[in-house]
Amino acid sequence: MTTATEAPQDLTAEQEQFDRLIADDSRIEPRDWMPEAYRKTLARQISQHAHSEIIGMQPEANWITRAPSLKRKAILMAKVQDEAGHGLYLYSAAETLGTTRDQMMADLIAGKARYSSIFNYPARTWADMGAIGWLVDGAAIANQVPLCRASYGPYGRAMVRICKEESFHQRQGFEILLELANGTEAQKQMAQDAVNRWYAPSLMMFGPPDDDSPNSKQSMAWNIKRFSNDELRSRFVGMIVEQVKTLGLTLPDDEIGYNEESGKWEHDPLDWDEFKEVLAGRGPCNAQRLERRREAHDDGAWVREAAAAYAAKQAEKRTMEEAA
Ligand code: BYC
């Protein structure tokens, strides 16, 4: 039996064990003790990430019926299905921290949960499918490859598979743009216009500047985040500055360049007021995205009910078999 005087010592031992695992760059698993703040931070980040995948299906799903060929339709459909899968692995990872999927979904639908700012922008033309794949999935990869080494086991493991699929997504987007950029003048213009519109929002995906990022320091100390928001943003700019040359397009940025002294890629200042507006729910598509999610949730009620009834029946069958 634990006495009152032993309890704080046990907690210290548990904290020490946790600190040791983090210092050794080992993994924390769901069965391990973890500080409440670590659990809360992970549940926040992983659930936001899951919501982003699910809401992120919408701008592209809107284009499935309008894809220019059967091949493009099949590829786009597979990509959107992949995003649903990513959402599911991530909800499962978040559930290991003690929050139920029902609760996470209720928060999303009530407008209480965050998801990536990027999905509140409209996808206006077919070229946007290219720009989303190249820039949005490209930014996601730059952000998520380091998350494969996140200290929380279920999150890091989910990210490995997700990153593999994101690489395919990025290539398909690049290839859409490449084909348009080498097409008619009007197609090239459409590709350039899409890149112009998605460029700044994709840089904002990495989150606020480091001096305005309240969570980064602690998340880095816990080996959840491995690099700061600005570090990853700069790295991403360095990647796309080369790739855009192959496309024969340009980035809408006059200040882009490598700073030898800091060793960082620099870019035009971003409109952080716009970012804050989007986070406050006042972006171009926030209301529409949530409305669509609510409709989909209501439409899917019968599937959830049927699945729950089936699971209950199976459980009853098992109990009877065990009793026999
Ligand atoms: N959008 O202290 P900070 C995909 C919030 S989906 C909205 O820097 P942190 C795809 C942040 O949550 C890929 N909110 O926070 C899917 C925090 O608010 P709270 C999605 C943002 O967590 C379908 C506050 O601002 N990827 O690829 O250390 C189709 C202060 O920020 C954003 C992920 O989710 C934003 N952009 O760092 C196609 C990656 N940025 O919670 C593609 C996983 C910041 O304190 N997440 N906020 O109220 C992360 O890596 C980190 O959570 C972030 C932010 C870098 C996003």
Side-chain angles (χ1 to χ4, degrees), residues 44-45 48-50 52-57 60 79 83 86 114-119 132 136-137 139-141 143-144 147 155 159 166 169 201 204-209 212-216 219 225 229 232 275 279:
R44 176 184 66 79
Q45 178 165 329
Q48 287 174 359
H49 195 159
S52 304
E53 301 282 357
I54 297 301
I55 296 283
M57 293 165 73
E60 290 172 293
K79 179 185 191 285
E83 311 297 357
H86 298 175
R114 288 202 195 288
Y115 58 86
S116 183
S117 50
I118 193 77
F119 302 117
I132 291 178
V136 175
D137 289 279
I141 294 168
N143 166 273
Q144 289 169 193
L147 289 174
Y155 192 30
M159 291 321 303
E166 297 291 15
H169 298 170
M204 290 181 193
M205 281 176 76
F206 293 93
D212 199 18
S213 164
N215 301 303
S216 278
S219 289
K225 285 168 90 161
N229 298 354
L232 291 175
F275 177 76
L279 259 61

Side-chain angles (χ1 to χ4, degrees), residues 50-78:
H51 297 327
S52 304
E53 301 282 357
I54 297 301
I55 296 283
M57 293 165 73
Q58 294 187 33
E60 290 172 293
N62 284 340
W63 277 92
I64 291 175
T65 54
R66 290 175 286 170
S69 69
L70 181 63
K71 186 180 107 183
R72 291 290 182 202
K73 195 191 285 277
I75 295 171
L76 188 59
M77 210 174 333

Side-chain angles (χ1 to χ4, degrees), residues 11-312:
L11 194 61
T12 307
E14 284 165 332
Q15 177 77 53
E16 277 170 6
Q17 167 69 1
F18 173 86
D19 292 344
R20 203 171 313 118
L21 286 171
I22 296 291
D24 291 349
D25 210 354
S26 291
R27 284 229 143 120
I28 309 296
E29 295 298 338
R31 61 173 181 271
D32 294 331
W33 181 90
M34 61 189 89
E36 266 321 292
Y38 177 84
R39 184 186 297 277
K40 226 172 130 188
T41 288
L42 277 163
R44 176 184 66 79
Q45 178 165 329
I46 304 173
S47 62
Q48 287 174 359
H49 195 159
H51 297 327
S52 304
E53 301 282 357
I54 297 301
I55 296 283
M57 293 165 73
Q58 294 187 33
E60 290 172 293
N62 284 340
W63 277 92
I64 291 175
T65 54
R66 290 175 286 170
S69 69
L70 181 63
K71 186 180 107 183
R72 291 290 182 202
K73 195 191 285 277
I75 295 171
L76 188 59
M77 210 174 333
K79 179 185 191 285
V80 173
Q81 282 175 346
D82 283 352
E83 311 297 357
H86 298 175
L88 297 184
Y89 319 143
L90 287 164
Y91 283 127
S92 298
E95 279 188 309
T96 63
L97 292 156
T99 315
T100 65
R101 188 179 306 190
D102 284 349
Q103 185 57 52
M104 289 184 266
M105 201 43 77
D107 288 347
L108 177 65
I109 283 170
K112 286 198 238 159
R114 288 202 195 288
Y115 58 86
S116 183
S117 50
I118 193 77
F119 302 117
N120 294 306
Y121 291 85
R124 297 194 192 286
T125 69
W126 171 252
D128 288 35
M129 298 305 98
I132 291 178
W134 178 47
L135 292 173
V136 175
D137 289 279
I141 294 168
N143 166 273
Q144 289 169 193
V145 166
L147 289 174
C148 295
R149 294 190 291 125
S151 56
Y152 190 57
Y155 192 30
R157 287 189 287 274
M159 291 321 303
V160 173
R161 176 153 175 197
I162 291 176
C163 284
K164 284 186 186 158
E165 292 177 351
E166 297 291 15
S167 298
F168 153 68
H169 298 170
Q170 199 222 9
R171 279 155 199 242
Q172 69 86 39
F174 187 83
E175 207 256 335
I176 290 174
L177 288 178
L178 191 62
E179 193 166 310
L180 290 174
N182 288 301
T184 63
E185 195 45 43
Q187 286 173 325
K188 185 170 183 183
Q189 263 316 310
M190 189 165 73
Q192 184 62 61
D193 172 64
V195 169
N196 291 351
R197 283 182 291 106
W198 288 92
Y199 173 70
S202 72
L203 295 193
M204 290 181 193
M205 281 176 76
F206 293 93
D210 292 351
D211 53 12
D212 199 18
S213 164
N215 301 303
S216 278
K217 198 164 167 252
Q218 182 59 72
S219 289
M220 288 171 77
W222 277 328
N223 294 342
I224 298 170
K225 285 168 90 161
R226 298 286 175 158
F227 301 97
S228 75
N229 298 354
D230 286 333
E231 279 170 331
L232 291 175
R233 191 172 5 252
S234 154
R235 212 181 259 209
F236 176 62
V237 169
M239 272 167 56
I240 57 174
V241 86
E242 287 305 318
Q243 293 170 358
V244 80
K245 292 180 192 160
T246 309
L247 289 174
L249 301 174
T250 55
L251 294 172
D253 191 324
D254 299 330
E255 286 185 26
I256 210 159
Y258 187 69
N259 182 328
E260 295 281 350
E261 245 170 66
S262 65
K264 299 241 162 79
W265 281 90
E266 288 175 356
H267 53 81
D268 268 346
L270 294 165
D271 185 349
W272 293 111
D273 289 338
E274 175 183 312
F275 177 76
K276 281 178 191 151
E277 280 295 292
V278 173
L279 259 61
R282 293 187 290 269
C285 297
N286 294 58
Q288 179 188 328
R289 299 287 185 239
L290 272 190
E291 190 47 41
R292 183 69 202 97
R293 177 90 289 280
R294 283 185 196 115
E295 281 166 17
H297 190 73
D298 291 347
D299 288 351
W302 70 272
V303 180
R304 293 190 299 278
E305 279 162 26
Y310 179 75

